[in-house]
Amino acid sequence: MSDNGSSGAQGVAALFSHGRLTAIPRKAARREQLLVHLTETLFERDRTYSEREVNDALLTVHEDCSALRRYLVVAGLLARPQDGSSYRRVR
């Protein structure tokens, strides 16, 4: 992400209303900002999460937890083994 911290934070804040994500951005750069924000705020480093725990965390901000979970994995922010048994924050 090439955005500097404050404008990135402001941009992400605009995606939320009353603590809920209003929409998942279609533009890749904007979605990347959101995904980094979600990773940093919802998931701890050095902790393993079950799929249910990941879904529960994502449901606190948006009802489409499966799309957000998939985007996080594809973006390389959450890692999961081949069997999909667990998730870990990558960065």
Side-chain angles (χ1 to χ4, degrees):
M1 189 169 83
S2 62
D3 224 68
N4 68 30
S6 63
S7 66
Q10 284 179 317
V12 169
L15 298 172
F16 289 83
S17 176
H18 304 288
R20 300 281 297 165
L21 180 62
T22 57
I24 299 172
R26 291 178 191 220
K27 291 187 177 181
R30 190 96 156 120
R31 189 170 50 241
E32 176 75 13
Q33 288 177 333
L34 169 67
L35 296 174
V36 168
H37 171 76
L38 293 177
T39 301
E40 292 174 350
T41 58
L42 298 176
F43 303 104
E44 298 174 26
R45 293 179 194 264
D46 304 320
R47 179 169 170 219
T48 300
Y49 293 87
S50 69
E51 183 171 313
R52 182 82 215 148
E53 290 173 312
V54 172
N55 289 346
D56 288 346
L58 294 171
L59 282 168
T60 66
V61 296
H62 196 270
E63 65 276 357
D64 194 352
C65 63
S66 59
L68 287 172
R69 187 182 66 244
R70 188 171 43 256
Y71 284 132
L72 289 165
V73 171
V74 169
L77 297 166
L78 287 184
R80 79 174 170 211
Q82 285 290 115
D83 66 3
S85 61
S86 63
Y87 294 80
R88 288 183 69 78
R89 180 176 161 181
V90 174
R91 54 176 166 149

